[in-house]
Each structure stands twice: as structure tokens, then as C-alpha cells.
Amino acid sequence: MYAVVRDRSRSLNLEPGQLAWVDLLDAKPGSEVILDEVQMLKRDDGSVSVGTPLVSGASVVAEVLRHEKGEKIRVSFYRRRKASRNQSGHRQAYTRIRVKEIRG
């Protein structure tokens, strides 16, 4: 099976057993999350269901493995005046999940 799932601002291509990064979820490591906004579902027999916009009754069950931060991004701001430089950084928080099953 294969599913395209919408998770807030991103579309994820998921298969059973796959590891994936998603934006930070409010769930503890070891717990299960259900992603129910399935946009497309391809079954093992070759049939494909495309949602308008979502496939009804389809969902993806995933296990939360851990929470981590991504790589640091440096942001520099400069204007051609005295003491007009600024530098800051950002690290995005992610959740690592493993897809257990695709229901549909």
C-alpha cells in the first residue's frame, strides 16, 4: 500500500514500515498518532483512490519514535550603516515517526 497524506502544511508519501520526519507533534515517544487526511491511496491490488480533497475512511497509523531539532540555519541582516549588522539562528523542531499500517 501507498498513501499521500496531508500533515498541516506538507504532503507526505508514506508506505508501511517507512521512517519519516514531520513537524513537531504533541505526542510522547512510544505513542501512536493517526494521520487521517489522506489525499490519495494506492492499494496492493493496483487500484487507486484519489480524494476530492480527501479519501473517506482512509487513515495512516504511525508510531512516534523521538523528537529532534533540525540543522541550524544562520540568518544575517546587513545595512550599509555603522553598527547595523544582525545575525540570528533557527533550529526547526521535528518528530520522527514510523508508519505502522495504512487503513483504507
Side-chain angles (χ1 to χ4, degrees):
M1 279 189 121
Y2 177 82
V4 176
V5 179
R6 183 171 64 198
D7 177 46
R8 292 168 278 192
S9 63
R10 298 189 175 142
S11 291
L12 305 168
N13 302 327
L14 300 176
E15 295 179 12
Q18 179 182 356
L19 297 175
W21 293 105
V22 295
D23 288 333
L24 187 66
L25 295 173
D26 187 24
K28 294 183 180 181
S31 63
E32 288 186 350
V33 293
I34 297 176
L35 306 171
D36 56 354
E37 294 186 5
V38 178
Q39 296 175 330
M40 188 192 83
L41 184 67
K42 181 180 178 187
R43 294 177 181 83
D44 292 330
D45 60 359
S47 63
V48 176
S49 298
V50 178
T52 54
L54 303 175
V55 178
S56 62
S59 62
V60 175
V61 179
E63 176 187 5
V64 175
L65 300 178
R66 63 182 177 267
H67 302 292
E68 286 189 7
K69 287 186 175 182
E71 293 184 16
K72 178 166 274 210
I73 298 171
R74 293 273 182 196
V75 179
S76 296
F77 179 74
Y78 174 77
R79 287 185 298 186
R80 61 180 200 281
R81 289 165 185 84
K82 184 177 178 181
S84 183
R85 295 177 187 92
N86 189 7
Q87 187 177 35
S88 61
H90 174 74
R91 290 184 72 184
Q92 183 69 34
Y94 293 105
T95 300
R96 183 77 159 173
I97 62 170
R98 175 183 292 127
V99 178
K100 289 180 125 180
E101 67 174 312
I102 298 175
R103 298 176 185 162

